[in-house]
Amino acid sequence: AMAKLVQNSNELFRDENIPLETEDTKLEAEYDETIGAMTVEFDGETRTLPYMGRILEETDRSRRESAFRSIWDRVLEDTDKIEGIFDRQLALRQEMAKNAGFDDFRALRFRQLERFDYTPEDCLAFHDAIEKVAVPLIRKRQERRRAQLGVDTLRPWDTSVDAEGRAPLRPFEGGDPLISGCREIFQKVDPALGDHFQILMDHKLLDLESRKGKAPGGYQCSFQETRRPFIFMNAAGLQRDIETLLHEGGHAFHSIEANGHDLTPNRDSPIEFAEVASMSMELLGAPHLGVFYKSDDEVRRARIDHLEGIISLFPWVAMIDGFQHWLYTNPGHSPGARRDSWLAIMDRFGTGTVDWSGLEEIRAHRWKRQSHLFGVPFYYVEYAIAQLGAVQVWKNYRQDPVQAVSDYRAGLSLGNTRPLKALFEATGIRFDFSKQNLEELLTLVHAEIESLEGSAAV
């Protein structure tokens, strides 16, 4: 496997692309700095955008609307700057593709991302499946939400609040309770995973709290000299922060399980499989959320929100991935054409139940807060492919927890020493993003949501 990767890398290398790649990376840093510096005045305080996410969960509809508009008014102030950064990146990326002998950046990027097991056409077919399977399920969920909220139409600030009008979940304050709580969850899933997480705690390899000027997002990276992982994120006391740390914890476990390989590249893994490691931990950890919550009702709420998020991930992935397929196979396009393409894609995969009237300008710029477009082009469909893998791990775990965790760790320990499909097989799951598999697995997720709702009604 490694010989193939080295050969591929050598075939793609061009001296003249080094300064272009450097410039592209500088532009990514400029984007991160621009987003990270964004603050809004709210409640008489200067607040970061991640913090403002808390307000969108509050039960006061007018406050949610005010928060939503504040966030986007601030983003729109810099939209020309962000558009300028992206225009320069597109031109650089097309030039890199030409230098490497490709017609467009998509063709180069698929090779750079070592996508040997699927093609652009497979991705487009996946988008079709998502439109047919996931979009109707989300439409059904959103119509239920609209009815529960008792509103004529759902607005964008109505999608995060509790549909039954309960106060938002506030599982913790500050970084320490988040760390200790997730440590306990990992221990409950498997004691070895709890021990793995303890390594990060002991060596201060966690930077979790949101603060002014901090770069956006969350990620795990590996320090190859020490063979230890590090986790970065922007926690603001939300349920999704727990999910993020469970997710990044899965990446960290992957790093630890695979760190015995002597060759550094063999400690890595294909992105599509790396995200199985992380997304699986969100699902396996979810039944143990009682660590953070006092009542079964709160755990149920958190789990339903998470499972709904799994289904709604698919249309958003199709939007971001579909947009990139258009961007890079239409080099030299105008900002106006780009805007039209994005809006058409949102029309296709938006569920049609959220009312954006009067917010058309915001809707046209939503993609600008998706950092992957700026930093890791085409890295997005992997989340949906991997989500199908993670749901399979969860399905196995429900049938035989010990065997499922054993298979999970066995797959992770292989690092990058097997092809992508073989890594899935070693984990006891299938590399398969067909419409049939998507339908089967999302039906399982939807049934679990309805089961949790049914148990709440008893």
Side-chain angles (χ1 to χ4, degrees):
M2 186 178 165
K4 185 177 184 180
L5 303 185
V6 171
Q7 181 184 351
N8 183 60
S9 182
N10 286 341
E11 287 173 0
L12 298 179
F13 179 79
R14 299 292 185 279
D15 273 328
E16 59 268 37
N17 279 346
I18 295 173
L20 304 182
E21 289 164 359
T22 302
E23 182 62 23
D24 192 37
T25 302
K26 285 180 181 174
L27 290 165
E28 177 199 352
E30 190 180 338
Y31 168 81
D32 280 349
E33 193 177 321
T34 302
I35 296 287
M38 288 181 181
T39 57
V40 299
E41 295 301 314
F42 201 82
D43 291 340
E45 300 276 349
T46 302
R47 297 296 192 189
T48 63
L49 298 196
Y51 178 90
M52 293 300 290
R54 296 172 66 129
I55 313 298
L56 296 175
E57 295 184 355
E58 291 184 6
T59 54
D60 184 328
R61 197 182 194 200
S62 62
R63 267 177 65 80
R64 295 201 307 272
E65 178 177 354
S66 177
F68 179 88
R69 291 184 184 275
S70 296
I71 291 166
W72 279 101
D73 285 349
R74 179 64 189 88
V75 174
L76 292 179
E77 280 179 34
D78 280 335
T79 193
D80 289 344
K81 180 181 180 183
I82 294 170
E83 194 100 35
I85 290 170
F86 199 59
D87 272 330
R88 284 180 286 162
Q89 289 189 303
L90 289 175
L92 285 168
R93 291 165 184 175
Q94 177 62 14
E95 192 178 345
M96 288 179 214
K98 290 290 186 192
N99 289 344
F102 294 92
D103 290 338
D104 58 56
F105 183 70
R106 180 177 74 174
L108 169 63
R109 193 64 177 144
F110 264 65
R111 284 280 301 276
Q112 286 180 333
L113 291 170
E114 297 161 357
R115 291 181 174 173
F116 305 127
D117 293 280
Y118 60 101
T119 66
E121 291 69 33
D122 292 330
C123 292
L124 298 177
F126 191 24
H127 302 166
D128 291 341
I130 289 169
E131 183 182 9
K132 292 181 177 72
V133 175
V135 171
L137 286 175
I138 291 298
R139 189 174 292 131
K140 185 177 178 182
R141 299 301 306 167
Q142 287 187 335
E143 177 51 35
R144 185 180 195 273
R145 165 177 285 272
R146 186 202 62 74
Q148 284 180 309
L149 286 171
V151 295
D152 292 335
T153 60
L154 274 185
R155 301 287 270 162
W157 46 83
D158 295 327
T159 57
S160 298
V161 65
D162 181 67
E164 295 178 38
R166 294 166 294 191
L169 292 170
R170 291 283 176 264
F172 65 92
E173 285 290 341
D176 290 345
L178 174 61
I179 293 168
S180 59
C182 283
R183 165 72 171 83
E184 191 176 339
I185 288 176
F186 291 133
Q187 182 75 26
K188 287 173 182 290
V189 174
D190 185 84
L193 300 181
D195 292 344
H196 286 348
F197 192 69
Q198 190 66 44
I199 293 169
L200 283 85
M201 295 168 65
D202 291 345
H203 295 278
K204 296 181 169 53
L205 295 165
L206 300 160
D207 178 4
L208 307 184
E209 291 187 76
S210 176
R211 57 182 178 272
K212 189 177 174 182
K214 186 175 178 179
Y219 59 81
Q220 178 270 330
C221 66
S222 297
F223 298 142
Q224 297 299 352
E225 280 291 312
T226 59
R227 303 196 189 193
R228 289 192 185 121
F230 169 81
I231 294 175
F232 173 99
M233 56 182 277
N234 279 275
L238 306 176
Q239 165 59 26
R240 69 171 167 264
D241 296 326
I242 299 172
E243 290 158 19
T244 298
L245 188 51
L246 293 176
H247 178 103
E248 302 303 341
H251 284 310
F253 301 153
H254 204 168
S255 174
I256 292 167
E257 292 285 355
N259 72 11
H261 297 287
D262 290 334
L263 293 172
T264 304
N266 281 344
R267 295 178 214 150
D268 209 348
S269 74
I271 294 167
E272 298 84 353
F273 185 66
E275 294 298 338
V276 172
S278 52
M279 290 175 161
S280 294
M281 287 317 306
E282 295 179 48
L283 282 159
L284 302 193
H288 306 296
L289 286 171
V291 164
F292 286 97
Y293 296 109
K294 292 186 175 67
S295 73
D296 289 345
D297 182 54
E298 288 179 313
V299 172
R300 250 192 310 273
R301 276 180 64 188
R303 291 194 64 195
I304 289 168
D305 286 350
H306 176 239
L307 293 166
E308 281 190 331
I310 286 174
I311 300 174
S312 59
L313 168 80
F314 288 90
W316 182 251
V317 166
M319 285 187 215
I320 295 296
D321 192 51
F323 188 44
Q324 296 195 87
H325 281 262
W326 184 89
L327 288 169
Y328 294 108
T329 56
N330 289 277
H333 62 260
S334 68
R338 178 157 68 231
R339 179 191 179 105
D340 290 345
S341 169
W342 170 250
L343 288 172
I345 286 166
M346 283 204 69
D347 287 343
R348 180 184 175 194
F349 295 103
T351 51
T353 50
V354 177
D355 176 11
W356 285 86
S357 56
L359 306 165
E360 289 80 7
E361 201 57 28
I362 292 171
R363 189 169 182 259
H365 295 285
R366 279 185 75 202
W367 61 269
K368 289 180 179 166
R369 288 190 69 197
Q370 190 64 62
S371 62
H372 296 69
L373 292 164
F374 299 85
V376 276
F378 276 104
Y379 175 4
Y380 215 68
V381 73
E382 290 89 345
Y383 288 114
I385 294 171
Q387 188 71 79
L388 293 178
V391 174
Q392 290 178 77
V393 171
W394 173 63
K395 182 183 175 186
N396 293 345
Y397 185 79
R398 284 152 54 105
Q399 293 164 355
D400 187 340
V402 174
Q403 187 61 48
V405 172
S406 175
D407 288 344
Y408 169 80
R409 292 182 60 201
L412 303 195
S413 71
L414 293 172
N416 212 8
T417 62
R418 302 283 191 283
L420 181 57
K421 289 182 179 178
L423 291 172
F424 270 67
E425 287 165 11
T427 312
I429 58 180
R430 296 194 322 277
F431 181 82
D432 176 4
F433 50 100
S434 65
K435 179 174 179 286
Q436 182 182 348
N437 200 38
L438 179 69
E439 198 155 26
E440 179 189 327
L441 295 171
L442 289 193
T443 298
L444 182 70
V445 172
H446 192 257
E448 181 72 357
I449 293 172
E450 293 192 323
S451 170
L452 287 163
E453 286 171 341
S455 65
V458 171

